[in-house]
Structures are given as C-alpha cells and as structure tokens.
Amino acid sequence: MSSDLIADLKTLVLEAAEKTEPEGGLTDDEVLFGPDARLALDSLDALQISMAIQQRYGVRMPDSKDTRRALTSIAHLAEHLRQHAPSLKE
C-alpha cells in the first residue's frame, strides 16, 4: 500500500472533519468512529470526508453502510479507494 496514499488520506480525514492530529499521530489501523476512537468522528464527519474523497479521487460513497465500512480506518479507506478509484488501480 502506498505510503503517499496513506499520508494523503490522514491529512484529508483530519482536514475534512476539522480535527487535530491525536497525540502520537494517527495510525493506519486506528478506529476512526465510535466511543473508543481518539478522533470520535460522527455521521456529519463521515459526510464531509466522503465529499472530500469524491472531490479528490472521484469516488462517490453513496451507501452509508459502505461509507462506514470504508471509513473504519485509514487502511480500510485506502483499500476501498484502490478498488474504486481508477487513478489508484495498479
């Protein structure tokens, strides 16, 4: 998995959700949503992130279940984009 893509997604998520990077940085497999998540993202954050993803990568995330699944972690989001973004397919 491209480290450039991972770094870009971390920045995109933090900027779209208007969050600051948690102490020690955001890890690739860190849970983004829920009570145990350090970022504590909510449904509005998911909407803002999905809009930012569509703008940057051209990938629509219209289904809320798919969106939540893709946004489980940065690593899941990167894998989702690699499968759906033509510019990221190898």
Side-chain angles (χ1 to χ4, degrees):
M1 194 167 301
S2 167
S3 60
D4 289 344
L5 175 60
I6 293 290
D8 188 52
L9 291 176
K10 288 178 181 178
T11 300
L12 181 145
V13 166
L14 292 172
E15 287 178 357
E18 298 180 353
K19 301 282 186 181
T20 57
E21 187 168 4
E23 188 173 321
L26 189 61
T27 64
D28 299 355
D29 293 322
E30 184 169 339
V31 176
L32 300 176
F33 289 86
D36 297 330
R38 291 191 300 161
L39 286 182
L41 298 179
D42 59 22
S43 58
L44 180 59
D45 297 321
L47 177 62
Q48 292 171 318
I49 293 166
S50 68
M51 290 172 29
I53 288 168
Q54 184 176 354
Q55 251 184 341
R56 185 166 306 172
Y57 297 102
V59 174
R60 288 191 68 222
M61 302 172 82
D63 182 283
S64 63
K65 286 183 182 178
D66 284 344
T67 301
R68 280 194 78 90
R69 193 171 324 141
L71 293 176
T72 303
S73 68
I74 295 296
H76 275 101
L77 180 56
E79 184 59 33
H80 179 83
L81 291 177
R82 286 186 55 192
Q83 293 174 3
H84 296 90
S87 62
L88 298 176
K89 289 184 179 179
E90 296 176 313

